[in-house]
Amino acid sequence: MPRAHISLDKQAVIAPVRRRTFGSFVEHLGRCVYTGLYEPEHPSANDDGFRMDVVELVRELGTRTVRYPGGNFVSGFRWEDSIGPRDKRPVRRDLAWHSLESNQVGLDEFARWLKLTDSELMLAVNLGTRGIQPALDLLEYANHPSGTALSDLRVANGTPDPHDVRMWGTRWTAPGRPASLRPTTTASSPPVPPPR
């Protein structure tokens, strides 16, 4: 049987490793956000309700880039529901995971969590069930300093400085249809092309 052998030499540096190489994503699925990152009643929770023990673990992992919202959750995400006073945020059905989304953790809170973990935000936009205008509105809310309706709304919501998002991701699939799944065909039906 063939054998492989790998030798590592720490002194043979080819190039620096870019900070963004070590990325992850956070999805509103199961306990990832609620009772995972965010648990206001937990003894280690900060004023935003984020568990500082989890923050320390994420820092220890060295994660430097986090896509938010991640996974299938973004395919039904309405970013406007995730801002403003928490008690005024709507509860919505999450069609991707057949659950209810309370919107208690939203864009502004998550950006603050990322600062605690020393990670950079990759903000995902929902182009599967939304469109270009909501994506442009999100860009204005997140990155414009002030003086426009949406940037002033961010300031009024308690985030005076722009989030300065430098990385953006898109999601094109419809809720409940992960990008890895493709429709099936029968012998009597024409092939269904994959989504573009």
Side-chain angles (χ1 to χ4, degrees):
M1 170 176 276
R3 299 182 82 190
H5 178 79
I6 297 175
S7 296
L8 300 177
D9 182 355
K10 291 183 183 180
Q11 303 304 315
V13 176
I14 296 172
V17 177
R18 293 179 186 225
R19 173 183 165 93
R20 291 178 173 171
T21 300
F22 301 102
S24 184
F25 71 92
V26 168
E27 182 167 8
H28 288 238
L29 168 66
R31 294 184 54 222
C32 181
V33 173
Y34 302 112
T35 70
L37 308 177
Y38 174 80
E39 190 175 1
E41 305 305 318
H42 194 274
S44 73
N46 69 2
D47 290 341
D48 265 331
F50 290 117
R51 292 180 51 174
M52 295 306 291
D53 60 332
V54 174
V55 166
E56 290 307 315
L57 290 170
V58 172
R59 289 179 68 99
E60 185 179 322
L61 285 171
T63 301
R64 296 294 179 237
T65 301
V66 180
R67 183 171 52 113
Y68 180 81
N72 283 340
F73 178 76
V74 73
S75 64
F77 183 60
R78 300 178 198 184
W79 71 269
E80 303 92 329
D81 290 350
S82 80
I83 62 170
R86 285 178 171 155
D87 63 343
K88 304 258 191 264
R89 295 179 190 175
V91 173
R92 299 253 188 219
R93 290 179 56 222
D94 177 6
L95 300 177
W97 296 116
H98 308 284
S99 61
L100 294 179
E101 172 54 44
S102 69
N103 286 301
Q104 293 304 290
V105 173
L107 172 58
D108 296 321
E109 293 87 11
F110 195 76
R112 288 194 294 272
W113 181 82
L114 286 171
K115 286 181 182 172
L116 295 172
T117 65
D118 194 30
S119 300
E120 183 179 4
L121 174 61
M122 172 191 265
L123 193 53
V125 295
N126 172 7
L127 295 177
T129 60
R130 303 292 305 275
I132 296 300
Q133 190 59 55
L136 292 172
D137 290 347
L138 177 56
L139 174 64
E140 179 183 326
Y141 181 89
N143 281 6
H144 195 75
S146 64
T148 67
L150 292 170
S151 62
D152 287 347
L153 179 59
R154 184 198 66 248
V155 172
N157 287 338
T159 306
D161 295 324
H163 294 303
D164 195 28
V165 178
R166 305 273 175 148
M167 293 183 293
W168 294 82
T170 59
R171 181 66 178 210
W172 295 93
T173 57
R177 183 173 177 218
S180 62
L181 299 180
R182 301 291 181 245
T184 58
T185 61
T186 63
S188 62
S189 65
V192 178
R196 293 181 184 185

